[in-house]
Amino acid sequence: MKTCIIIGAGGRGKDAYAPYIKKSGIMKIVGVVEPDDKKREDFKKEYAVSEEMCFSDYHDFFQKGRLADSVIICTQDRMHTEPAKLAIECGYHIMLEKPVSPVETEIDELEELVKDYDKVFITGYVLRYTPFIIKIKELLDSGAIGKIMTMQLNENEGFWHHAHSYVRGPWSNSKTSSPLIVAKSCHDFDLMLYLIGSKCTGVSSYGSNGYFTPENAPGDVPMRCTDGCSFADTCKYNAVKLYTEGKASYFVHKFECGEDKDAIIEALKTNEYGRCIYRCGNDVCDHQVASLVFENGATAVFTVSAFSLDNTRTIKLMGTEGEIGGCMEKGEIVLKRFADMTEEHFRVTHDGTKHCGGDSGIMRHFAELLERESVKNDLSVFESHRMAFAAERARNNGK
Ligand SMILES: NC(=O)c1ccc[n+]([C@@H]2O[C@H](COP(=O)([O-])OP(=O)(O)OC[C@H]3O[C@@H](n4cnc5c(N)ncnc54)[C@H](O)[C@@H]3O)[C@@H](O)[C@H]2O)c1
């Protein structure tokens, strides 16, 4: 069985990928690199990792040379390129979380290294491996809608999800993380390249952080929801409600305070998630659109927006022979054919892992690649990042 080492035992490394690897037995986890003592210790116990294969920093780890077949790099956005370059120097097969980097020049640098790399390099584009996208790709490849002319893709973030990650949380500031369209939507541009099957040649974009600013507060609000806010009963973003009984209660494990309501409220008095949504000083967009044109003449429109109830992607592909529409979270796909004016409905299900089964799908894909004799890395990962950077430039420059 091929071996892997997790670098960054946080939300992705420890909570998303490692449990599936263990449960499925597709690879063997033999090491962990994580500076947080508790997370590293917990990981060590859970996966029976030996003491000498536990590291607190990836620099020390890479100094040892190659200790396994592969590394799964799950550090934060601005800590991706360096460990990836060191992993290439050591000759590891690599799964690098997306975005590859929030710095455009680093995308070029890494592409140069990956171009002729004879080991596997993939990035965390989990959506390609969801049963939902697999089914749509199968329909497209069968010619069900002829030549794709138009694509519409909506990333409906969920107001509670955007509030947690992009206003209060780690991706709120583009200077310390990434612009929203790079952090979140490089993924969506990957889907466009994958499904349209042609290079992107032009992008325009508009958007802003239009709502989560002090001017939009309902009145005189305190810095924290726990400071006796007079709008607590009506505010959809009241942290106490969101984290104790609302949709964001899913994220409470990040507070490391347990599930008790009083303990959660206590944590909200000091952590970043208890701050008033209008007073977080965040700068990333809360809504953005991009329109794109491809070498084969197809056009696409992409919208990412905080302002939805559910966290889901909706898609519409319009071709010369028919159209396909779908909602990822519901697993619903509708195919309409022009020739006989029929409508066919499909319902796909997944194994319950996050991202509609994409988290397990990508791990299976990675494990399969490790078994292959020869490696040909897909460089479109760099292209999708360039589309995201181009969209952000277009938004900033109005061009
Ligand atoms: N593929 C997807 O759909 C998807 C979804 C969510 C997040 N992400 C991306 O995955 C990455 C990780 O996100 P997360 O939510 O797990 O973040 P996280 O903050 O929960 O985890 C990052 C971990 O890296 C550790 N770390 C910090 N310095 C380190 C070092 N020097 N060496 C080793 N580890 C170090 C941190 O202590 C932390 O545990 C981010 O880049 C994020 O954008 C991808």
Side-chain angles (χ1 to χ4, degrees):
M1 195 192 295
K2 299 286 185 201
T3 54
C4 67
I5 290 167
I6 304 283
I7 304 181
R12 303 301 295 161
K14 180 165 74 64
D15 302 334
Y17 297 132
Y20 178 72
I21 295 172
K22 182 178 175 185
K23 188 171 143 220
S24 62
I26 50 172
M27 287 183 279
K28 179 160 175 52
I29 299 173
V30 295
V32 62
V33 189
E34 169 58 53
D36 183 299
D37 293 343
K38 181 170 183 317
K39 285 188 197 168
R40 195 178 58 254
E41 273 306 306
D42 288 351
F43 194 98
K44 181 184 160 194
K45 278 197 204 115
E46 179 67 30
Y47 297 97
V49 175
S50 65
E51 182 58 37
E52 63 273 18
M53 291 294 274
C54 294
F55 300 84
S56 54
D57 179 61
Y58 63 76
H59 295 98
D60 303 335
F61 161 68
F62 284 116
Q63 265 183 9
K64 301 267 180 196
R66 194 168 150 210
L67 302 176
D69 296 306
S70 67
V71 286
I72 299 178
I73 304 175
C74 301
T75 41
Q76 272 294 352
D77 296 9
R78 290 195 178 258
M79 213 184 268
H80 283 179
T81 323
E82 192 188 25
K85 286 202 283 200
L86 291 168
I88 290 174
E89 271 177 33
C90 291
Y92 281 105
H93 295 291
I94 301 164
M95 193 322 270
L96 172 65
E97 256 307 352
K98 61 103 198 154
V100 162
S101 170
V103 181
E104 202 168 356
T105 50
E106 290 184 354
I107 300 291
D108 301 339
E109 245 179 89
L110 214 52
E111 183 177 28
E112 214 34 53
L113 292 173
V114 168
K115 216 163 55 186
D116 302 316
Y117 193 46
D118 62 355
K119 301 279 170 24
V120 174
F121 175 93
I122 64 164
T123 196
Y125 283 158
V126 295
L127 300 182
R128 275 196 191 201
Y129 309 101
T130 57
F132 178 79
I133 292 296
I134 291 169
K135 181 68 195 171
I136 289 180
K137 180 82 168 104
E138 185 190 301
L139 291 172
L140 293 175
D141 290 347
S142 73
I145 65 163
K147 178 179 178 325
I148 298 180
M149 303 303 282
T150 316
M151 176 168 177
Q152 292 172 357
L153 184 59
N154 257 55
E155 181 167 8
N156 315 288
E157 291 184 77
F159 71 96
W160 47 277
H161 185 274
H162 184 89
H164 172 82
S165 292
Y166 296 94
V167 183
R168 292 177 167 130
W171 295 275
S172 59
N173 185 315
S174 56
K175 284 158 207 79
T176 52
S177 59
S178 312
L180 178 79
I181 205 148
V182 175
K184 200 150 181 52
S185 313
C186 56
H187 223 146
D188 298 275
F189 295 130
D190 175 62
L191 287 185
M192 287 184 177
L193 291 175
Y194 186 53
L195 298 179
I196 293 176
S198 178
K199 271 175 86 87
C200 176
T201 53
V203 183
S204 69
S205 181
Y206 298 93
S208 64
N209 174 34
Y211 186 63
F212 300 104
T213 56
E215 309 81 71
N216 289 308
D220 195 11
V221 287
M223 282 307 285
R224 291 185 164 273
C225 301
T226 45
D227 288 347
C229 178
S230 36
F231 302 93
D233 287 344
T234 50
C235 180
K236 296 173 293 299
Y237 298 97
N238 175 354
V240 174
K241 269 201 286 182
L242 266 187
Y243 289 105
T244 58
E245 60 199 60
K247 282 195 158 208
S249 49
Y250 161 77
F251 295 113
V252 159
H253 66 276
K254 297 218 174 262
F255 302 177
E256 295 192 352
C257 67
E259 311 247 311
D260 178 68
K261 187 173 176 179
D262 291 338
I264 296 170
I265 295 172
E266 207 46 42
L268 289 171
K269 287 183 183 167
T270 50
N271 73 15
E272 63 269 47
Y273 300 103
R275 292 176 299 159
C276 169
I277 201 78
Y278 302 103
R279 303 184 69 178
C280 287
N282 51 300
D283 71 354
V284 299
C285 284
D286 54 30
H287 66 303
Q288 187 165 358
V289 292
S291 52
L292 308 98
V293 62
F294 293 79
E295 217 163 57
N296 66 0
T299 52
V301 178
F302 170 66
T303 302
V304 55
S305 179
F307 306 103
S308 66
L309 179 62
D310 296 319
N311 173 224
T312 186
R313 281 174 170 88
T314 43
I315 191 168
K316 186 166 182 184
L317 291 146
M318 301 155 87
T320 50
E321 303 297 324
E323 57 184 274
I324 293 172
C327 173
M328 190 177 280
E329 259 62 21
K330 289 185 180 155
E332 288 171 357
I333 299 170
V334 184
L335 165 66
K336 297 181 184 176
R337 297 179 202 265
F338 302 156
D340 52 9
M341 310 247 275
T342 53
E343 211 175 282
E344 204 176 337
H345 290 248
F346 303 90
R347 170 143 264 182
V348 293
T349 53
H350 60 81
D351 62 5
T353 55
K354 280 202 272 182
H355 294 103
C356 298
D359 285 3
S360 56
I362 197 169
M363 284 297 113
R364 283 194 301 278
H365 176 68
F366 187 50
E368 277 161 26
L369 289 177
L370 300 196
E371 298 297 337
R372 291 199 189 156
E373 301 263 300
S374 68
V375 171
K376 181 96 187 79
N377 286 310
D378 177 2
L379 299 179
S380 70
V381 49
F382 302 104
E383 174 84 3
S384 51
H385 280 74
R386 289 197 184 95
M387 290 159 73
F389 284 113
E392 188 60 3
R393 265 200 306 281
R395 181 183 78 84
N396 285 324
N397 302 335
K399 287 189 179 167

